[in-house]
Amino acid sequence: MTATWEPTAPGVLRLPSGRLVRGRGLRRPLPEGPVPSFALYLLGREPAPVDWDHRWLRWPDFRLPSDRVATADALREAWERAGSERVEVACGGGQGRTGTALACIAVLDGVPADEAVSYIRQHYAPRAVETPWQRRFVARFA
C-alpha cells in the first residue's frame, strides 16, 4: 500500500469518497514532493518515459479519446488505485482532457453525471472540461 497525496497539495482533487487524485499539465514542471505511484497520461502522442507506473491514452488536444473502451477501463483503474495510491491524471495543459477525465472519475465516485463538470470546476479548476463534446462525453459516461 502506497501513501496518497497531501489533500492541500496543488492540483489535488478530493472526491466525495475521500480519494485524492492530482491533475496537472505536463507542459509545466513536475511539482515538488512525492511522485505519482500511477499516472494516466492523456495525449495525442506517447509521453516521455517516467519512473513510475503509467498508462497512456491517445487523446488529441480539444478532442475525445480515440478508444472509448480503453478510456473507461483506464479511468476505472485510476479511480480504484486512488483508494490507496498517489494517482495523477495529466494532459498538456491540465484543463480540458484532464478535467474531462477527472469529471468521469468523479462519476465513478458517485457524483451524478449531469453534475460532474460543475463539481470539477468547483473543486479542481474553473475552466476544466473545455469543449461541448467533452461536456457531452462526461454526461454520457457511466
Side-chain angles (χ1 to χ4, degrees):
M1 183 153 151
T2 307
T4 61
W5 299 111
E6 271 301 312
T8 57
V12 173
L13 168 70
R14 180 185 291 277
L15 294 164
S17 67
R19 284 177 163 90
L20 302 172
V21 180
R22 181 172 75 186
R24 78 175 179 103
L26 294 170
R27 289 192 293 264
R28 291 186 214 94
L30 184 67
E32 290 186 24
V35 297
S37 307
F38 173 74
L40 184 56
Y41 294 126
L42 318 168
L43 299 165
R45 59 183 169 75
E46 193 167 356
V50 292
D51 293 332
W52 47 86
D53 193 14
H54 69 283
R55 193 164 171 183
W56 166 56
L57 294 174
R58 184 179 302 279
W59 192 331
D61 202 6
F62 296 106
R63 306 282 177 134
L64 294 176
S66 299
D67 184 335
R68 308 238 174 131
V69 173
T71 299
D73 290 344
L75 293 170
R76 282 185 187 86
E77 179 181 4
W79 177 79
E80 289 172 8
R81 292 178 77 158
S84 61
E85 298 179 53
R86 288 186 303 272
V87 172
E88 173 177 86
V89 176
C91 65
Q95 299 287 315
R97 294 167 286 181
T98 296
T100 301
L102 290 174
C104 291
I105 291 170
V107 170
L108 293 171
D109 203 62
V111 175
D114 62 343
E115 298 173 19
V117 171
S118 295
Y119 182 87
I120 294 307
R121 288 179 174 170
Q122 180 180 4
H123 297 283
Y124 170 66
R127 294 187 333 229
V129 191
E130 295 172 316
T131 68
W133 40 92
Q134 289 172 342
R135 288 190 297 277
R136 194 168 35 253
F137 183 81
V138 173
R140 295 177 179 166
F141 186 78

